[in-house]
Amino acid sequence: MLDVTAPTPKPRVIAGEKHDWELVIGMEVHAQVSSNAKLFSGASTKFGAEPNSNVAFVDAGMPGMLPVINEFCVEQAVRTGLGLNAEIHLKSAFDRKNYFYPDLPQGYQISQLYHPIVGEGEVLVELGDGTARVVRIERIHLEQDAGKSIHDMDPTMSFVDLNRTGVALMEIVSRPDIRGPEEAAAYVVKLRQILRYLGTCDGNMQNGNLRADVNVSVCRPGQYEKYQETQDFGHLGTRCEIKNMNSMRFIQAAIDVEAKRQIAIIEAGGEVTQETRLYDPDKNETRSMRSKEEAHDYRYFPDPDLLPLEIEQAWVDDIAASLPELPDAKKARFIADFGLSDYDASVLTADTGDAAFFEAVAAASGADDKGGKLAANWVINDLFGRLKIDEKDIATSPISPAQLGGIIQLIRSDAISGKIAKDLFEIVYTEGGDPAQIVEDRGMKQVTDTGAIEVAVDEIIAANPAQVEKAQANPKLAGWFVGQTMKAMGGKANPKAVNQIVATKLGL
């Protein structure tokens, strides 16, 4: 079990007309396996290809074609399980899940019901208010995706694109441990982050590579605690599943509106029907899609064309040994090694590319606590802010870690002031070049010669006797002399030296 010191968030309470109600949420996240080939064929998984161009005979359900397991997809599932602190089953098996979709040519989906490859695991979900919840993972199973039906290209016909048919998916099933819309979104964000670190799914929700089915139910306060004690689902309300959510904002909105729908039904004396529903963001409502099927409705049976899958512990151990540093461990290290705040460490470890960029900047600028904090401030505030304005990401940053680290080095050595550093950042960002050489060539070094600073301060004091009297009466007004001195010296004077000299000259 994960060692969690943060307090557990309180469940979301929704006030009905008669009673208060609590939310209970479980999630089934479908993550497309990062693989060049499909689960049971060598067909490409490249996104954006011409319709029906990434299709092998077995994907198209041609007679006599047999599936052949893609070992790399199995490895990716094992890697994901290890990254989620889950049990890896050395023996698993594939089943046929029978139902007809026009974009599922075989008339069944090859999945894993009875013997999934990954068993119980857990994910630590940290929320912005300092609370955290451990969400239990029930299972992860491998299955093949269906194709895509297209209904808006012709008024009289539908079209089918089989490019996604047979693409490997990991269905990551959670326990009903999530207690609010914000937690649900945070869970998907954390899960996507871990998958990206592992390299097992790119998490691109726009391309459909990560989708969530959200199971929502409501219960009276106290009932969830009874469920926890007994694991009897009878203490919880009837759940409805909201399918194919691909937006954190929509996930939260759909949960909220579905919970209120269920509460209204129950308080009116009705019963919630277990079913699959779709969320309509335009109308902000959920609507019925189909009655919720149970396992027997799908007529599951072991796939006769695939032998049970057996893997060796030594192979699993080799995969475990190759795992990268995961988000929670990296965040803890950033806090310990660089003296970062919890917030800054969370921002910098949100994405693997961001974390790697920061570490490179810190190394280039001096990786002690002070250098790490300064590097974090520049990466988060200046670089990320500018990239957002320019609609770029860290991979397309015009400024390199070495260049940004060079700017920070110049600040730390007192070669330039913070104000000059802002100007230098802009030059390097737009024009490129070596920061130290730019400072040298353009005369941007700050003045540390106390003699020159004293001359400037003396002139300003002599020209402003009335202001001197005010500053001596109220030392806070000495800042006016600091500002005037910096202005007179073109912003190149060392601010610390200016403050000291002004205070001395004014007798403060």
Side-chain angles (χ1 to χ4, degrees):
M1 184 72 179
L2 291 169
D3 182 18
V4 183
T5 56
T8 301
K10 294 180 179 179
R12 165 69 82 82
V13 177
I14 300 177
E17 291 187 2
K18 298 179 180 179
H19 307 287
D20 285 342
W21 300 85
E22 291 182 356
L23 273 168
V24 180
I25 302 163
M27 302 193 78
E28 300 167 10
V29 174
H30 296 82
Q32 179 175 322
V33 175
S34 291
S35 169
N36 292 329
K38 296 183 179 181
L39 184 56
F40 298 117
S41 80
S44 172
T45 59
K46 185 177 180 181
F47 180 79
E50 287 294 316
N52 298 304
S53 60
N54 294 344
V55 186
F57 287 127
V58 67
D59 304 322
M62 295 296 179
M65 297 296 106
L66 298 177
V68 178
I69 189 71
N70 181 338
E71 181 180 336
F72 182 70
C73 292
V74 176
E75 179 181 336
Q76 292 285 66
V78 171
R79 186 181 302 276
T80 300
L82 293 170
L84 298 181
N85 306 301
E87 177 187 4
I88 306 300
H89 295 155
L90 299 183
K91 293 185 178 180
S92 60
F94 288 95
D95 306 291
R96 287 189 181 181
K97 180 181 182 181
N98 293 273
Y99 57 97
F100 174 75
Y101 278 169
D103 46 15
L104 192 61
Q106 295 159 316
Y108 57 83
Q109 179 188 40
I110 301 177
S111 182
Q112 294 183 313
L113 173 66
Y114 302 111
H115 305 288
I117 190 166
V118 177
E120 294 183 350
E122 54 192 10
V123 176
L124 175 64
V125 180
E126 295 173 299
L127 302 169
D129 60 1
T131 60
R133 187 181 301 282
V134 174
V135 177
R136 295 170 297 164
I137 301 297
E138 178 182 318
R139 55 189 276 138
I140 303 175
H141 61 258
L142 278 168
E143 64 184 22
Q144 59 181 169
D145 201 355
K148 180 180 180 183
S149 295
I150 302 145
H151 307 294
D152 58 359
M153 291 179 63
D154 187 280
T156 61
M157 293 187 292
S158 290
F159 296 84
V160 177
D161 181 4
L162 301 182
N163 280 349
R164 289 193 68 90
T165 302
V167 167
L169 301 178
M170 296 177 288
E171 183 169 341
I172 305 168
V173 182
S174 84
R175 297 282 186 181
D177 293 343
I178 302 166
R179 306 302 310 282
E182 296 80 9
E183 284 185 42
Y187 167 74
V188 177
V189 169
K190 184 60 175 287
L191 193 58
R192 182 174 64 174
Q193 181 191 31
I194 294 171
L195 295 174
R196 284 175 165 173
Y197 267 72
L198 292 167
T200 56
C201 174
D202 65 18
N204 191 324
M205 300 182 83
Q206 290 79 13
N207 293 352
N209 295 356
L210 190 79
R211 296 166 285 176
D213 298 340
V214 187
N215 288 285
V216 179
S217 66
V218 295
C219 66
R220 294 293 306 281
Q223 292 299 109
Y224 187 81
E225 287 69 24
K226 292 181 180 179
Y227 153 72
Q228 285 186 310
E229 292 172 6
T230 64
Q231 294 300 300
D232 180 1
F233 286 98
H235 293 295
L236 303 181
T238 301
R239 72 185 188 275
C240 291
E241 181 182 39
I242 310 170
K243 294 287 287 184
N244 290 329
M245 305 297 297
N246 65 350
S247 157
M248 306 306 172
R249 182 166 62 90
F250 290 166
I251 285 173
Q252 295 182 68
I255 290 170
D256 189 61
V257 72
E258 173 60 21
K260 291 176 179 176
R261 184 190 72 87
Q262 293 182 21
I263 291 169
I265 291 173
I266 297 169
E267 292 194 341
E271 292 186 1
V272 175
T273 301
Q274 184 174 342
E275 61 183 349
T276 300
R277 301 181 69 84
L278 293 175
Y279 174 65
D280 185 338
D282 295 326
K283 297 180 179 179
N284 191 33
E285 65 180 21
T286 64
R287 60 174 182 267
S288 182
M289 181 181 175
R290 61 176 181 267
S291 61
K292 179 64 178 177
E293 298 92 342
E294 301 294 341
H296 63 263
D297 294 317
Y298 289 117
R299 307 190 314 281
Y300 277 99
F301 64 87
D303 193 292
D305 295 331
L306 289 163
L307 291 171
L309 185 61
E310 297 187 13
I311 58 178
E312 297 179 350
Q313 185 61 50
W315 187 60
V316 175
D317 293 341
D318 286 343
I319 296 172
S322 70
L323 291 183
E325 184 180 39
L326 293 174
D328 291 340
K330 191 179 288 291
K331 176 184 170 182
R333 180 170 63 81
F334 278 12
I335 292 172
D337 291 357
F338 301 117
L340 303 186
S341 67
D342 185 274
Y343 173 79
D344 285 351
S346 295
V347 171
L348 291 169
T349 56
D351 180 83
T352 53
D354 293 347
F357 193 99
F358 163 73
E359 285 205 83
V361 171
S365 59
D368 59 7
D369 283 1
K370 184 178 178 182
K373 290 177 183 177
L374 191 57
N377 288 338
W378 274 89
V379 171
I380 294 171
N381 299 324
D382 295 87
L383 181 59
F384 286 178
R386 182 57 187 275
L387 291 175
K388 184 176 182 179
I389 291 171
D390 293 346
E391 297 184 345
K392 296 179 183 290
D393 58 23
I394 202 70
T396 57
S397 171
I399 190 168
S400 71
Q403 288 171 319
L404 186 52
I407 293 172
I408 296 168
Q409 269 193 333
L410 291 168
I411 298 170
R412 297 188 67 197
S413 67
D414 284 334
I416 60 175
S417 65
K419 181 179 183 302
I420 294 173
K422 300 285 186 182
D423 297 334
L424 179 58
F425 176 86
E426 182 64 23
I427 293 169
V428 176
Y429 186 95
T430 56
E431 302 176 21
D434 175 52
Q437 192 63 48
I438 292 170
V439 167
E440 189 69 35
D441 293 345
R442 304 194 186 190
M444 299 173 71
K445 275 190 176 180
Q446 74 175 351
V447 178
T448 56
D449 179 4
T450 56
I453 296 172
E454 284 186 15
V455 170
V457 173
D458 286 339
E459 290 177 353
I460 294 167
I461 287 176
N464 298 277
Q467 195 69 25
V468 170
E469 290 183 14
K470 292 179 182 178
Q472 289 173 336
N474 182 1
K476 291 182 179 180
L477 299 179
W480 182 84
F481 288 93
V482 174
Q484 291 299 307
T485 303
M486 294 298 294
K487 183 178 179 181
M489 302 191 71
K492 295 181 181 179
N494 184 306
K496 184 177 180 181
V498 172
N499 275 281
Q500 290 174 344
I501 292 170
V502 166
T504 300
K505 293 286 185 179
L506 294 174
L508 302 178

